[in-house]
Amino acid sequence: MKEYFRLVRLLKPYRHLLVLSFFLILLFSVCNAASIYLSIPLLKTLFTSSASDVTSIPATGLFNELRHSVDTYIFVGGDKYSALVKVCVLLLAAYFLKNVFAFLQSILTQYVEKSLINDIRRRMFHKFNSLSLRYFNERRSGDIVSRFITDVNAIQNTVYVTFTDIIKQPVLIITFLTLAFLISWKLTLIAIISVPLSMLVIFYLGKKIKKYSIRVQEKLGEFTSVISENIYGGKIIRAFSMEDFENKRFDIKLKDYFRSLIKSAIYVNMNRPITEIVSVALGVFIIWYAGREIFAGGTLAPEEFIGFLLIIFQLMVPVKDLSTVSNRIQESYASAKRIFEIIDAKPEIYDSENAIDKKEFENSIELRDVYFRYNSEDRVILEDINLKIKKHENIAIVGLSGAGKSTLVDLLPRFYDPQIGEILIDGVNTKDISLKSLRNLFGIVTQEIILFNDSIRNNISFGRDDIPISQIVMAAKNANAHDFIELTEDGYDTIIGDRGIRLSGGQKQRIAIARALLKNAPIMILDEATSSLDTESESLIQEAIEKLLQNRTSIIIAHRLSTIRNADRIIVINDGRITASGTHDELMHGSESIYKRLYEMQFG
Ligand code: ATP
């Protein structure tokens, strides 16, 4: 329930609209009650031969006075036909107003509901982008996407339930009960007994529904994950002929999902019939009891009894809806929980209170006694790292796959924080530098090039729309990307497709280099692509990289001979430790063997 109340609290900005909605509910209920009450004078007009008994109603109490005036208006001073016309006009007016109020109220509720959903998605997305990479490592993308779409849709229901059911239904019940009570208090008391009886059944079903709706969302997350893995990994799946395996994996997930859907549907659908059976049993008892009263010539007139029955039948609708409220809240409870998990996630990496803005890089980057592991249970990935890189130095990092090279460079812009040790830029701990200014010091070209489904121009300028096209073209020219961009359909405005699917590997790299060139950051981190390119692309990229590194400090995870040769210093990492450092010649002639082995392995 905690989550439900949190959702309700999120509605605070819309409280004025909700108060208005409440008044519309009240107006609706009054018109609704009036429309049902009018059936009594209607029946009287149709079935009694004279209107003489109208004045016999004692005019005591507000209701009776009101009833008296309505009856006087309808019946006194006219014949049966004019009474019929008056009742019809009143009925029409009551139904018209009731529907107008219902329409306005539901539009208002929908407006609040959709606005809340928008707010929640915005909050989730903004939070999501403030979280560290570790958060994403630990979760599947399909699961996160399904929280954004399915779970958020599921909680729409909560707003509807709150304003249409928790407020509207009780108001309706109270008006109906008051009306029924005024007609016959004995019969009304019997009717009231039905409510707690149905509640017991509903409580039990509610627990089951909660259990299965959590399971349904989990299973949905699992199978959407398989879908997104198959979209991103389409090429590799075909290359390894894994289609059958993936189909089987998907079928199993789908079957699990289906099974939990059906179980959940059984409990959800059991709810209404059971409530109805209990309520109808009591309804039939009332009919029997009232019939006895009328036959005995008691205080109840037949048209009043029919009016009373109509009220009770109408009363069943809000009672039934109200009885399923707790279930519907339970259903969205699971979703709310999954949404708040994102909204409440604590960013691990954030600005310290006294963080300074660091605009320039002046002297050096230093890693001091750094130890790092991804998760507390994981093995240590980096151990005892001590490294100082001076301004304008070009550093190449080499090592076997999985040695920890990418992890090491990820620590510099604080994608992760080391558990032990510190990283200093110009002597200032990176934790004391604002994240934005720290990351502005770095230009990064990752091994797997990340491009967005947008124009080439926007992929190079990357969110900075103040940059003139001339600068973008200049960066593209320096990255040797201009020529191929010109050949595309719409030049710089060409949309490159999901993840740049319409570009070759080498073209993507050159766009990424243009992006880094345009950012013009003083420190460049480059994770060279391992995939081999044809000689022409290779030399185009090499040329672009050279321009990128001019007058900059650079750290390159090197896979190319030329990069290693040109480096001022080569750092060898083995199993998370720096095992050697020096120039190519020094390392080739030194005692450390890994570099020589690596060199021979890669470059023959
Ligand atoms: P490569 O040359 O193959 O890219 P690398 O030297 O850059 O390798 P890293 O990517 O730094 O190696 O990985 C170092 C170790 O950390 C590997 O054993 C890897 O399995 C592990 N690792 C990498 N990323 C994560 C992560 N997000 N969560 C947990 N472990 C990780």
Side-chain angles (χ1 to χ4, degrees), residues 137 374 378-379 381 400-407 416 447 559:
N137 290 337
Y374 278 98
D378 275 5
R379 64 189 177 87
I381 303 286
L400 293 169
S401 174
K405 306 177 293 288
S406 306
T407 310
Y416 302 95
Q447 192 179 71
H559 298 289

Side-chain angles (χ1 to χ4, degrees), residues 32-43:
N32 199 20
S35 66
I36 299 167
Y37 173 75
L38 283 170
S39 60
I40 299 178
L42 179 66
L43 289 167

Side-chain angles (χ1 to χ4, degrees), residues 133-134 136-138 372-375 378-382 397-410 416 447 527-528 530 557-559 573 575-576 602:
L133 296 179
R134 195 192 303 277
F136 301 99
N137 290 337
E138 288 164 2
F372 177 80
R373 57 173 84 195
Y374 278 98
N375 293 304
D378 275 5
R379 64 189 177 87
V380 176
I381 303 286
L382 292 175
I397 301 182
V398 296
L400 293 169
S401 174
K405 306 177 293 288
S406 306
T407 310
L408 176 81
V409 295
D410 279 353
Y416 302 95
Q447 192 179 71
D527 201 340
E528 275 184 350
T530 37
I557 298 176
H559 298 289
I573 296 201
D575 219 1
Q602 286 186 16

Side-chain angles (χ1 to χ4, degrees), residues 140-154 212-228 250 252-261 335 338:
R140 293 183 311 257
S141 65
D143 181 60
I144 296 179
V145 173
S146 99
R147 287 179 200 225
F148 266 87
I149 310 295
T150 328
D151 287 318
V152 176
N153 281 343
Y212 283 104
S213 65
I214 292 180
R215 198 166 293 170
V216 165
Q217 295 304 332
E218 280 171 4
K219 299 288 174 200
L220 182 68
E222 281 176 22
F223 95 72
T224 43
S225 268
V226 179
I227 299 177
S228 54
F250 184 70
I252 291 170
K253 299 282 179 210
L254 203 60
K255 209 162 150 189
D256 279 355
Y257 174 61
F258 177 77
R259 208 174 289 146
S260 37
L261 265 185
S335 294
R338 286 161 52 83

Side-chain angles (χ1 to χ4, degrees), residues 70-197:
V70 173
D71 282 4
T72 314
Y73 166 72
I74 295 171
F75 295 110
V76 176
D79 55 6
K80 276 186 74 171
Y81 177 72
S82 82
L84 178 68
V85 172
K86 283 178 191 164
V87 174
C88 289
V89 170
L90 284 178
L91 263 175
L92 239 126
Y95 274 96
F96 176 77
L97 286 176
K98 165 183 139 172
N99 281 294
V100 167
F101 293 136
F103 168 76
L104 291 176
Q105 193 265 333
S106 73
I107 287 291
L108 209 60
T109 312
Q110 296 257 329
Y111 176 80
V112 173
E113 182 182 295
K114 309 291 181 237
S115 309
L116 177 75
I117 296 308
N118 261 2
D119 289 352
I120 288 177
R121 288 212 169 103
R122 195 178 316 117
R123 281 172 84 136
M124 281 168 81
F125 195 81
H126 288 197
K127 167 50 75 72
F128 181 74
N129 263 336
S130 74
L131 293 171
S132 58
L133 296 179
R134 195 192 303 277
Y135 185 87
F136 301 99
N137 290 337
E138 288 164 2
R139 284 162 185 83
R140 293 183 311 257
S141 65
D143 181 60
I144 296 179
V145 173
S146 99
R147 287 179 200 225
F148 266 87
I149 310 295
T150 328
D151 287 318
V152 176
N153 281 343
I155 59 158
Q156 282 198 44
N157 205 9
T158 313
V159 185
Y160 181 82
V161 167
T162 307
F163 290 95
T164 310
D165 293 340
I166 294 189
I167 296 178
K168 187 173 171 183
Q169 310 304 9
V171 170
L172 279 178
I173 292 171
I174 290 169
T175 26
F176 285 144
L177 277 181
T178 316
L179 203 57
F181 209 81
L182 290 165
I183 293 174
S184 166
W185 64 268
K186 269 194 236 161
L187 290 180
T188 313
L189 277 184
I190 298 173
I192 289 175
I193 298 170
S194 72
V195 181
L197 256 179

Side-chain angles (χ1 to χ4, degrees), residues 279-349:
S279 330
V280 165
L282 280 142
V284 169
F285 176 71
I286 294 169
I287 296 176
W288 168 78
Y289 181 85
R292 247 183 32 155
E293 287 265 298
I294 295 169
F295 295 155
T299 48
L300 200 63
E303 72 267 14
E304 283 177 337
F305 174 58
I306 294 183
F308 176 84
L309 276 187
L310 286 178
I311 293 168
I312 294 300
F313 285 139
Q314 292 278 332
L315 181 67
M316 274 186 195
V317 181
V319 167
K320 263 198 292 185
D321 284 346
L322 194 63
S323 66
T324 58
V325 158
S326 107
N327 295 347
R328 277 177 289 151
I329 290 181
Q330 306 273 22
E331 276 177 57
S332 52
Y333 167 88
S335 294
K337 213 167 156 192
R338 286 161 52 83
I339 288 167
F340 283 121
E341 235 170 65
I342 293 191
I343 292 183
D344 293 342
K346 297 258 176 303
E348 265 176 74
I349 292 175

